[in-house]
Amino acid sequence: AIIDVDGGGTLSRAELTNHLSVSGYNTETIDKIFNKMDVNKDDEISRQEFRDGMILLTALQSAPGLGNYNAEFAKEMCEDADQVFQSADADGNGEIDKEELRSHIGRSFANYSEAAIDEIFRQIDANSDGTITQEEFRDAFCKS
């Protein structure tokens, strides 16, 4: 969902390009990745195409920006997740509600749609109780 800026449930070429260019990919490489993952050639990558692509294209599993999770990176992700949680938990009650997440994302990523933020919240709120605990937040961002 983090790549899916408009919350449409698919990835456009522009969304993938914006995400991967930050990790240092050039346009030619991004186009190759997009074309390989867009199996049905509808100019969008569905969730299933993305999952299948990550499995079949084993090089992507260790690619920066997509799957490069070595032990040091995982430790940094967990530390960053804790800092982000504290920052997003505006009222300091130990939970993030949807408005706190919306406000936090809006400060850093103004181009995210309401639908995208709703989807991010839904994916992180593992028990669907309407709030995100620090444990749920860590679980969403820390790979073991």
Side-chain angles (χ1 to χ4, degrees), residues 2 11 19 24 41 58 61 70 78 80 84 108 113 123 132:
I2 294 176
L11 298 180
H19 180 75
K41 304 303 178 205
T58 54
Q61 294 174 13
N70 62 34
C78 290
D80 289 347
V84 171
S108 302
S113 70
Q123 289 185 19
I132 299 170

Side-chain angles (χ1 to χ4, degrees), residues 7-128:
T10 61
L11 298 180
S12 68
R13 188 177 299 269
E15 287 173 320
L16 189 66
T17 299
N18 289 340
H19 180 75
L20 291 180
S21 61
V22 172
S23 296
Y25 288 87
N26 64 37
T27 303
E28 181 181 346
T29 301
I30 295 169
D31 283 342
K32 285 179 183 177
I33 292 169
F34 188 91
N35 292 334
K36 290 236 185 237
M37 292 183 110
D38 183 21
V39 176
N40 67 2
K41 304 303 178 205
D42 65 351
D43 212 32
E44 296 180 325
I45 300 173
S46 69
R47 286 185 177 135
Q48 192 60 51
E49 285 174 321
F50 188 82
R51 284 184 200 111
D52 293 347
M54 290 299 289
I55 292 167
L56 294 175
L57 305 171
T58 54
L60 293 180
Q61 294 174 13
S62 61
L66 289 174
N68 186 19
Y69 292 104
N70 62 34
E72 184 60 32
F73 183 73
K75 180 180 177 229
E76 288 175 21
M77 283 293 293
C78 290
E79 291 168 358
D80 289 347
D82 290 341
Q83 290 175 353
V84 171
F85 183 88
Q86 297 304 321
S87 175
D89 181 17
D91 62 11
N93 70 347
E95 297 177 330
I96 300 171
D97 63 32
K98 194 176 283 187
E99 289 310 310
E100 286 174 315
L101 184 67
R102 190 177 320 278
S103 174
H104 183 77
I105 290 175
R107 287 192 301 268
S108 302
F109 306 101
N111 60 336
Y112 274 72
S113 70
E114 294 289 317
I117 294 170
D118 288 347
E119 180 62 17
I120 291 168
F121 188 89
R122 187 190 66 72
Q123 289 185 19
I124 299 173
D125 182 18
N127 65 3
S128 302

